[in-house]
């Protein structure tokens, strides 16, 4: 008996003594050992542990244990002859139980290998998965009392996976940053209701790789999908008790394993091949794959959380502990923070990143709460070990790196502070554009910076405008449709009495809270959606869309749908066929196509704002509502109308053969006022003739009959609208550039 559970007889394939094996590489690696014997080498870093058992499980769940006798530089290792791919396994790690010193070893708890490449089974969270007695009284001391119930029946197991050949790099799209349009989606939510995907593939990697899913992405014109977490994750106990799950997946526990429940083909290693096939299918369509990764914390939470992996392997080594090491330093709001300055933790993260690039084929990463990874000991440090290692790594410095540049600790807000190579989610862009279109900006200084690439944040250290990932919505918060339909969050279905989720929505419901049958209100809301999407896709920087925003997806006012694995969280694929929402999709496609066709809309360098020869106009011009060039005083004054002139003659860029890149010029007029206004079009040298290409006051964007306007004349601008006008070429060289 062990922990109250019988141990099975040793299977035939594991009766041979454990051979010494090798301490490198970490994890379970199937290989050919001495004398040509096939087997698996197991290696686990467990600093401070006293003993490590490798535990093998047969199909009936019977367990066989073997001690790893070899210890090299705190890595326990051994080679087990006959253990082949598909074998399920876990670890039991022995050591002292002394929570006051941060020591929480408990061999009754089966632990997931941090390097497991596949995971079979789901985490249930009964009392047995906690290394401490949750019911001990007084409750404030419960985490100090050890629980010896066996957790093996209640936790998933790692799976030995056959190593595949390295990824063939020459099939990657390798889209340059300035040309990128990112589309944030959830593997399950994007595919669950798609009528073109076979029912058995919905909610899976195979579903996302299906031609019906890819067709939408290609027709939309996005260049990359950013997948909400696909690392193996666990569901929190408080959600399971309410009949909910962690739908978004920001609760990682396996940094090498594709989340098993997104696999249509099986969970005994098949999920690895299925994920690779999905990536290949997207690459063949010219679409990159970016992973949203959560290396700042794990699903083990604080001292009251379950013991699933790292806590039971080497708690003081893997986690940042507080001054009282019984507790955790929490810069993430999730109970714990990985101790990234520790060499083995840094190695775990970088090994994981390289694995996903080299063997799984992904093209980049968005780092959740990246400021937590940049903390050296307490403060955020842009010379931290993590950032230094990434900068010099020959694999990782070549992929797309996106920071969520904040955490919840003191000094954690770091927008604009990450070094070159990194791009950032620019929440100042989000807030400014929302405020402008709801009429809450005190002046237009911030709007000017955000529309033109946020040079105030990123014009240093060689950074470029594409350091700014511009977004108006993300998975966290209202959808775009809800942003113009709700002023208050409606998160009652989350079971937290509407206390969860932000109260700072910067939204405007257009006069009625929630869905309404009023035609005028709905027409205004759709106009506001067109304004927001047009602003985003005409701004300098890298635009990010959220799946479904292009055709009016709603979450019913829920701004924190992290636990809504249902129709609230899934994309509604009936909307593209709805005559009310189809025009929004068509507009989004048109705007993305325009970005692709016009380099002036995706500049690789910041605007200078200086007058350029020979015409003597600026590469970026700003105009007031009365048609004057803006002065410093104008920037500090309230205004509901701003016009932005983008010169195609002055793009500081050359093509592959060294020839100057030129384009047509555009004038963008943004008017957030409640009444129409007259706007005098800038005359020569800015432009002699303007052609109206787009007017967001109109539901359908077919060309209006009066689309041509002379410079110096007055243009009637409808209320709450964006007008996009092209400056018609007037000289041979500019005409050739068009």
């Amino acid at each position: 008996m062990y922990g109250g559970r019988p141990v099975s007889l040793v299977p035939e394939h594991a009766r041979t003594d454990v051979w010494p094996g090798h301490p490198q590489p970490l994890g379970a690696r199937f290989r050919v050992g001495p004398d040509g014997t096939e087997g698996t080498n197991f290696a686990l870093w467990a600093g401070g542990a006293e003993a490590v058992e490798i535990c093998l499980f047969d199909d009936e769940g019977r367990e066989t244990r073997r001690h790893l006798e070899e210890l090299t530089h705190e890595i326990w290792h051994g080679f087990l002859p006959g253990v082949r791919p598909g074998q399920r396994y876990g670890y039991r790690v022995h050591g002292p139980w002394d929570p006051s010193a941060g020591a929480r070893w408990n061999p009754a708890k089966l632990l997931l290998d941090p390097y497991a490449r596949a995971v079979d089974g789901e985490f249930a969270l009964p009392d047995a998965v906690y290394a401490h007695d949750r019911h001990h009284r007084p409750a404030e001391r419960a985490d100090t009392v050890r629980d010896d119930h066996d957790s093996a029946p209640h936790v998933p197991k790692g799976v030995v996976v056959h190593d595949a050949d390295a990824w063939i790099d020459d099939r990657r799209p390798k889209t340059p940053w300035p040309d990128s349009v990112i589309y944030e989606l959830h593997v399950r939510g994007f595919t669950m209701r798609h009528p073109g995907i076979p029912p058995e593939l919905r909610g899976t990697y195979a579903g996302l790789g299906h031609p019906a899913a890819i067709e939408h992405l290609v027709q939309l014109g996005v260049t990359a999908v950013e997948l909400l977490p696909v690392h193996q994750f666990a569901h929190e106990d408080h959600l399971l008790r309410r009949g909910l799950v962690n739908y978004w997946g920001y609760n990682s526990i396996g940094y090498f394993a594709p989340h098993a429940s997104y696999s249509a083909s099986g969970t005994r290693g098949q999920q690895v091949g299925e994920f690779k096939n999905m990536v290949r299918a997207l690459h063949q369509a010219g679409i990159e794959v970016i992973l949203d990764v959560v290396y700042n914390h794990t699903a083990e939470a604080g001292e009251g959380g379950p013991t699933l992996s790292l806590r039971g392997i080497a708690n003081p080594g893997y986690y940042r502990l507080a001054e009282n090491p019984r507790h955790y330093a929490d810069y993430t709001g999730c109970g714990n923070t990985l101790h990234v300055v520790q060499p083995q933790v840094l190695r775990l993260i970088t090994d994981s990143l390289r694995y996903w690039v080299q063997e799984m084929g992904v093209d980049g990463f968005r780092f959740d709460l990246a400021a937590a990874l940049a903390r050296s000991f307490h403060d955020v440090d842009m010379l931290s070990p993590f950032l230094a290692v990434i900068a010099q790594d020959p694999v990782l410095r070549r992929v797309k790196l996106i920071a969520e540049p904040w955490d919840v600790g003191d000094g954690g807000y770091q927008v604009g502070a990450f070094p070159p190579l990194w791009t950032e989610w620019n929440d100042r862009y989000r807030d400014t554009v929302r405020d402008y279109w709801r009429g809450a900006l005190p002046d237009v200084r911030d709007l000017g910076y955000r529309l033109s690439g946020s040079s105030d944040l990123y014009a240093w250290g060689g950074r470029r405008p594409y350091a700014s990932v511009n977004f108006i919505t993300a998975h966290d918060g209202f959808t775009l449709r809800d942003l113009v339909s709700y002023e208050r969050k409606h998160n009652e279905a989350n079971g937290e009495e509407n206390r969860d989720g932000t109260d700072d929505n910067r939204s405007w419901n257009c006069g009625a809270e929630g869905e309404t049958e009023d035609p005028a209100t709905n027409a205004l809301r759709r106009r506001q959606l067109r304004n927001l999407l047009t602003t985003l896709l005409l701004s300098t920087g890298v635009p990010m869309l959220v799946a479904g925003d292009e055709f009016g997806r709603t979450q019913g006012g829920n701004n924190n749908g992290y636990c809504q694995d249902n129709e609230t969280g899934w994309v509604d694929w009936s909307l593209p066929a709805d005559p009310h929402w189809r025009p929004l999709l068509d507009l989004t496609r048109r705007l993305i196509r325009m970005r692709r066709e016009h380099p002036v809309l995706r500049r690789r360098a910041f605007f200078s704002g200086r007058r350029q020869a020979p015409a003597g106009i600026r590469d970026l011009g700003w105009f007031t509502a009365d048609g004057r060039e803006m002065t410093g005083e104008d920037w500090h004054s309230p205004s509901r109308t701003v016009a932005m002139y983008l010169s195609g003659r002055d793009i500081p860029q050359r093509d592959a053969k060294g020839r100057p890149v030129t384009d047509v010029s555009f004038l963008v007029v943004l008017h957030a006022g409640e009444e129409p206004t007259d706007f005098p079009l800038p005359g020569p040298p800015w432009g002699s003739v303007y052609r109206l290409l787009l007017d967001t006051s109109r539901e359908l964007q077919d060309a209006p009959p009066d689309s041509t306007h002379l410079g110096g004349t007055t243009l009637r601008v409808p209320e709450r609208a964006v007008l996009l006008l092209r400056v018609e070429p007037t000289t041979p060289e500019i005409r050739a550039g068009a």
Side-chain angles (χ1 to χ4, degrees), residues 591-728:
L591 287 164
I592 293 175
R593 184 172 66 252
M594 289 183 65
R595 283 189 70 91
R596 183 171 63 247
E597 294 172 349
H598 291 286
V600 72
L601 299 178
R602 43 186 173 82
R603 286 174 56 105
R604 286 159 164 75
F606 287 106
F607 296 96
S608 71
R610 296 187 295 270
R611 296 191 182 275
Q612 308 287 330
I617 64 174
R618 306 179 194 277
D619 59 353
L620 174 66
W622 296 98
F623 296 87
T624 65
D626 55 9
R628 295 182 296 102
E629 279 197 74
M630 293 184 69
T631 65
E633 184 178 346
D634 293 322
W635 286 111
H636 289 79
S637 301
S639 179
R640 304 301 299 275
T641 309
V642 175
M644 175 175 65
Y645 185 101
L646 304 171
S647 173
R649 286 176 280 193
D650 307 303
I651 303 174
Q653 180 181 337
R654 297 190 296 167
D655 65 16
K657 294 184 178 180
R659 297 169 298 194
V661 172
T662 59
D663 196 1
V664 296
S665 298
F666 292 99
L667 181 69
V668 184
V669 183
L670 300 96
H671 176 53
E674 300 176 6
E675 300 293 334
T677 189
D678 291 329
F679 176 75
L681 291 169
W686 298 97
S688 298
V689 179
Y690 294 83
R691 183 172 297 278
L692 180 63
L693 301 181
L694 186 150
D695 175 356
T696 61
S697 71
R698 305 172 70 246
E699 192 92 45
L700 301 177
Q701 293 300 314
D702 49 312
D706 56 344
S707 59
T708 301
H709 304 270
L710 297 178
T713 61
T714 297
L715 178 67
R716 187 69 167 173
V717 181
E719 70 279 8
R720 295 194 177 98
V722 180
L723 302 188
L724 174 65
L725 300 101
R726 183 180 68 206
V727 182
E728 295 295 86

Side-chain angles (χ1 to χ4, degrees), residues 46 118 149 192 228 271 273 281 288 314 318 324 326 377 384 392 400 421 434 450 469 487 558 593 623 672 686 720 738:
H149 290 93
M192 277 299 292
L228 267 67
Q271 61 265 55
E288 295 184 305
Y318 280 110
N324 177 354
R326 175 187 158 196
F377 287 95
S384 67
Q392 61 79 44
K400 287 183 165 65
L421 293 183
R434 288 186 180 193
R450 304 309 147 235
V469 175
E487 293 189 3
N558 191 322
R593 184 172 66 252
F623 296 87
W686 298 97
R720 295 194 177 98

Side-chain angles (χ1 to χ4, degrees), residues 177 180-183 224-227 288-293 363-371 373 386-387 390 396 399-405 418-419 421-426 458 463 466-471 542-544:
W177 261 125
S180 296
V181 178
I182 298 172
Y183 189 76
V225 290
E226 182 176 303
L227 307 183
E288 295 184 305
V289 178
I290 298 170
L291 302 188
D292 196 334
V293 290
D363 305 284
F365 306 93
R366 178 265 188 188
F367 292 81
D368 180 67
L369 299 182
L373 300 173
F386 172 74
L387 295 178
I390 295 291
L396 301 179
V399 302
K400 287 183 165 65
L401 303 170
I402 306 171
E404 183 183 38
F418 274 72
L421 293 183
W422 287 81
T423 64
E424 299 175 14
W425 270 24
N426 187 350
Y458 301 114
R463 303 186 82 183
Y466 48 81
S468 177
V469 175
N470 299 331
F471 67 103
V542 178
M544 185 185 78

Side-chain angles (χ1 to χ4, degrees), residues 160-211:
V160 177
V161 175
H162 197 294
D163 286 342
D165 293 334
W167 187 266
I168 300 174
D169 189 65
D170 60 2
R171 294 191 178 182
R172 297 174 185 266
K174 297 182 180 179
T175 306
W177 261 125
D179 302 339
S180 296
V181 178
I182 298 172
Y183 189 76
E184 188 193 43
L185 66 83
H186 189 288
V187 168
R188 181 169 167 84
F190 185 74
T191 59
M192 277 299 292
R193 302 177 68 185
H194 197 301
I197 299 174
E200 66 273 15
L201 300 184
R202 294 175 188 169
T204 69
Y205 306 119
L208 182 54
H210 189 273

Side-chain angles (χ1 to χ4, degrees), residues 61-359:
R62 292 175 297 189
E63 178 180 355
T64 298
R65 300 187 189 136
R66 282 286 183 266
H67 280 278
L68 298 180
E69 302 289 350
E70 302 295 324
L71 179 61
T72 305
H73 304 311
E74 297 189 304
I75 297 173
W76 299 81
H77 55 92
F79 179 83
L80 272 65
V83 172
R84 301 183 57 80
Q87 174 65 58
R88 300 186 303 155
Y89 73 99
Y91 289 108
R92 297 183 187 273
V93 181
H94 300 252
W97 175 264
D98 186 3
S100 64
R104 294 182 178 271
W105 283 281
N106 185 343
K109 310 306 168 183
L110 186 77
L111 307 174
L112 183 67
D113 181 2
Y115 279 74
R117 297 189 174 192
V119 174
D120 179 61
E122 289 278 0
F123 284 101
L125 293 180
D127 293 342
V129 303
Y130 294 81
H132 63 279
D133 181 0
R134 290 207 292 171
H135 303 290
H136 179 79
R137 294 294 180 268
E140 59 270 17
R141 299 295 300 173
D143 70 284
T144 67
V145 180
R146 198 170 96 163
D147 176 274
D148 289 327
H149 290 93
D150 183 14
S151 70
H154 310 290
V155 294
K157 282 73 179 174
V159 179
V160 177
V161 175
H162 197 294
D163 286 342
D165 293 334
W167 187 266
I168 300 174
D169 189 65
D170 60 2
R171 294 191 178 182
R172 297 174 185 266
K174 297 182 180 179
T175 306
W177 261 125
D179 302 339
S180 296
V181 178
I182 298 172
Y183 189 76
E184 188 193 43
L185 66 83
H186 189 288
V187 168
R188 181 169 167 84
F190 185 74
T191 59
M192 277 299 292
R193 302 177 68 185
H194 197 301
I197 299 174
E200 66 273 15
L201 300 184
R202 294 175 188 169
T204 69
Y205 306 119
L208 182 54
H210 189 273
I214 292 177
E215 180 184 20
H216 176 76
L217 301 172
V218 171
Q219 290 183 353
L220 187 59
V222 298
T223 67
V225 290
E226 182 176 303
L227 307 183
L228 267 67
V230 296
H231 289 166
Q232 186 70 36
F233 60 86
H235 305 296
E236 293 93 328
D237 180 64
H238 69 90
L239 291 176
L240 294 174
R241 292 179 184 275
R242 296 202 300 267
L244 300 170
V245 296
N246 188 317
Y247 169 59
W248 285 349
Y250 290 91
N251 209 36
S252 299
I253 197 63
Y255 290 131
F256 290 77
H259 189 62
S261 70
Y262 297 162
S263 173
S265 53
T267 59
R268 296 289 283 268
Q270 298 94 331
Q271 61 265 55
V272 177
E274 184 177 328
F275 185 94
K276 290 182 179 181
N277 289 334
M278 175 199 74
V279 173
R280 288 190 180 98
L282 289 163
H283 281 181
Q284 289 169 5
I287 298 170
E288 295 184 305
V289 178
I290 298 170
L291 302 188
D292 196 334
V293 290
V294 189
Y295 294 112
N296 54 79
H297 75 279
T298 76
E300 292 184 303
E303 57 269 16
T307 294
L308 309 174
S309 181
L310 304 182
R311 173 178 285 134
I313 295 171
N315 185 59
Y318 280 110
Y319 291 116
R320 291 179 180 267
L321 302 183
E323 184 175 348
N324 177 354
R326 175 187 158 196
H327 304 294
Y328 293 81
D330 182 11
Y331 297 109
T332 67
C334 299
N336 65 56
T337 307
L338 281 182
H339 202 355
V340 180
V341 298
Q342 290 277 17
Q344 290 298 333
V345 179
L346 186 57
R347 177 183 176 184
L348 170 68
I349 295 172
T350 53
D351 283 354
S352 168
L353 292 169
R354 281 189 294 268
Y355 172 75
W356 286 95
V357 173
Q358 294 177 297
E359 298 197 36

